[in-house]
């Protein structure tokens, strides 16, 4: 329905050509903006309902004091794998998890895996590169989330969350304690839950619009000639170069897999190509822009740096396996 509205607005009302780069970029902007803001509101309401019955401090204590043997990171990564979101669309769930008191490392496990592994990427990979490459890609994407979330949790990065998020956490925790103490009926909690959800949307909408505007300008743009010329040879520096160049770009799995197929056909090692794809779909400038409302620049840099390093190491491993 959102896509149909965006098509009607851009191609019929604005009269832009559906095959032009400008038309596609404007369409993407309206579609993703509406989708992410609605998703953010819906997830904030859901997390508000969960916190109404399962207060933040209780949830946090459960996840931090119980011996789950790392399965909390695996469950978060698997949940990320079954959610069909790009790097920007994953952020509303990330905000909802942080607001709900889920440990930061667990939320990072979700944020890392969600754009990397989904049914579109797996289906296209299977048809393009075969079963072995698909299994390597899917399993490594999930492991990347598990290991990345575990490592980031060890850094104790909560202090680098933005003051806005810390304020939301404190407010939500205070409301949960008050409701629990006074035994407030659920129906009387609903107006506050909706108000809080709307407050989150109002606090983040500008960052969403800026991030998606950047994403719309960059969407699907990959300078194929450059990569074919400089990354086709089997050089030791190809993997880090491909990943570093891929991180600022922005594209979904459906848009990048055909490009990867061309790269491999032109001689790029498949491991390097997979690492490049992970960098493009897993990290991006629009994602960093949206995360700025949630994290300080230091935390964004740590997150991007750790994930980039793991993708580079994965690229070398892919080339060795494949």
């Amino acid at each position: 329905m959102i896509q149909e509205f965006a098509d009607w607005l851009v191609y019929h009302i604005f009269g832009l050509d559906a095959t032009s780069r400008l038309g596609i970029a404007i369409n993407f902007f309206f579609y993703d903006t509406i989708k992410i803001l609605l998703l953010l509101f819906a997830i904030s309401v859901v997390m508000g309902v969960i916190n109404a019955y399962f207060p933040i401090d209780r949830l946090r204590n459960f996840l931090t004091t119980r011996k789950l043997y790392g399965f909390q990171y695996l469950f978060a990564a698997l949940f990320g794998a079954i959610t069909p979101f790009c790097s920007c669309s994953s952020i509303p769930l990330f905000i909802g998890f942080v607001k709900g008191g889920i440990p930061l490392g667990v939320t990072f496990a979700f944020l890392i895996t969600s754009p990397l592994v989904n049914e579109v990427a797996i289906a296209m990979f299977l048809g393009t590169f075969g079963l072995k490459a698909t299994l390597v890609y899917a399993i490594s994407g999930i492991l990347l989330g598990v290991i990345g979330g575990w490592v980031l949790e060890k850094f104790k990065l909560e202090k680098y969350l933005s003051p806005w998020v810390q304020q939301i956490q404190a407010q939500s925790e205070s409301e949960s304690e008050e409701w629990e103490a006074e035994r407030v009926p659920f129906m009387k909690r609903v107006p506050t839950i909706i108000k809080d959800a709307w407050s989150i949307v109002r606090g983040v909408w500008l960052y969403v619009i800026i991030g998606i505007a950047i994403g719309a300008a960059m969407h699907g743009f990959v300078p194929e000639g450059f990569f074919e010329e400089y990354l086709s040879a089997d050089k030791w520096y190809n993997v880090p170069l491909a990943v570093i160049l891929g991180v600022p770009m922005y594209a979904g799995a459906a848009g990048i897999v055909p490009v990867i197929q061309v790269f491999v056909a032109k001689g790029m090692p498949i491991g390097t190509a997979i690492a490049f794809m992970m960098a493009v779909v897993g990290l991006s400038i629009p994602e960093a822009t949206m995360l700025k409302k949630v994290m300080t620049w230091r935390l964004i840099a740590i997150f991007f740096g750790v994930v980039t390093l793991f993708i580079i190491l994965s690229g070398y491993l892919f080339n060795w396996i494949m």
Side-chain angles (χ1 to χ4, degrees):
M1 185 173 67
I2 299 175
Q3 186 63 70
E4 291 173 355
F5 172 76
D7 292 344
W8 170 79
L9 181 66
V10 174
Y11 301 139
H12 291 86
I13 301 302
F14 294 170
L16 296 176
D17 185 357
T19 61
S20 69
R21 181 166 178 80
L22 177 62
I24 293 171
I26 299 297
N27 182 282
F28 173 84
F29 171 78
F30 280 105
Y31 169 74
D32 245 35
T33 299
I34 296 170
K35 178 187 71 174
I36 289 177
L37 290 177
L38 288 176
L39 191 62
L40 178 60
F41 179 77
I43 291 167
S44 298
V45 169
V46 170
M47 292 307 299
V49 171
I50 292 173
N51 290 153
Y53 288 100
F54 200 39
I56 287 178
D57 57 341
R58 195 182 305 167
L59 177 62
R60 187 187 296 118
N61 289 338
F62 176 81
L63 290 172
T64 55
T65 60
R66 295 293 183 91
K67 288 186 177 181
L68 299 176
Y69 304 102
F71 280 101
Q72 65 270 38
Y73 303 106
L74 177 61
F75 293 149
L78 289 174
F79 181 63
I82 64 174
T83 52
F85 297 141
C86 64
S87 58
C88 290
S89 299
S90 302
I91 291 176
L93 269 173
F94 177 81
I95 293 174
F97 290 163
V98 172
K99 173 181 178 289
I102 295 176
L104 196 57
V106 178
T107 61
F108 274 132
F110 164 82
L111 186 63
I112 292 169
T113 303
S114 182
L116 292 180
V117 183
N118 56 59
E119 71 278 7
V120 175
I122 290 175
M124 296 185 71
F125 239 81
L126 189 61
T128 305
F129 297 112
L131 180 61
K132 182 179 179 181
T134 303
L135 288 175
V136 168
Y137 177 77
I139 293 172
S140 62
I142 293 171
L143 287 178
L144 192 65
V146 172
I147 297 171
W150 180 80
V151 169
L152 289 166
E153 180 67 32
K154 296 301 180 184
F155 289 167
K156 305 296 182 185
L157 300 170
E158 285 78 7
K159 61 186 176 182
Y160 297 123
L161 288 170
S162 71
W164 178 76
V165 167
Q166 295 179 23
Q167 181 183 354
I168 288 175
Q169 285 181 322
Q171 179 183 340
S172 184
E173 190 167 351
S174 175
E175 289 171 351
S176 298
E177 291 174 353
E178 182 180 339
W179 287 339
E180 194 170 21
E182 298 180 5
R183 300 185 181 277
V184 178
F186 173 72
M187 291 308 298
K188 289 187 177 181
R189 304 180 188 186
V190 171
T192 301
I193 291 171
I194 294 176
K195 180 183 176 182
D196 289 347
W198 178 241
S199 175
I200 290 174
V201 173
R202 281 190 306 156
V204 115
W205 70 269
L206 182 60
Y207 291 84
V208 170
I209 288 177
I210 293 173
I212 294 175
I214 296 171
M218 300 172 59
H219 186 62
F221 176 69
V222 179
E224 296 182 23
F226 174 86
F227 289 101
E228 291 169 4
E229 181 177 353
Y230 291 101
L231 297 180
S232 293
D234 191 11
K235 304 291 186 180
W236 70 266
Y237 55 78
N238 279 4
V239 173
L241 182 60
V243 172
I244 291 170
L245 292 174
V247 166
M249 299 178 189
Y250 179 57
I256 200 66
V257 170
V259 176
I260 295 302
Q261 184 179 16
V262 172
F263 287 172
V264 173
K266 292 293 181 76
M268 180 185 289
I270 189 169
T272 306
I274 293 175
F276 172 75
M277 175 178 170
M278 283 184 158
V280 172
V281 303
L283 300 169
S284 66
I285 290 177
E287 180 187 20
T289 304
M290 289 192 222
L291 286 174
K292 180 60 185 74
K293 184 64 177 179
V294 186
M295 310 176 186
T296 61
W297 282 120
R298 178 175 293 186
L299 180 51
I300 293 173
I302 293 171
F303 169 63
F304 270 58
V306 168
V307 176
T308 298
L309 175 61
F310 283 165
I311 292 176
I312 290 172
L313 295 176
S314 298
Y316 283 120
L317 181 62
F318 297 153
N319 280 333
W320 178 72
I321 293 174
M322 303 298 291

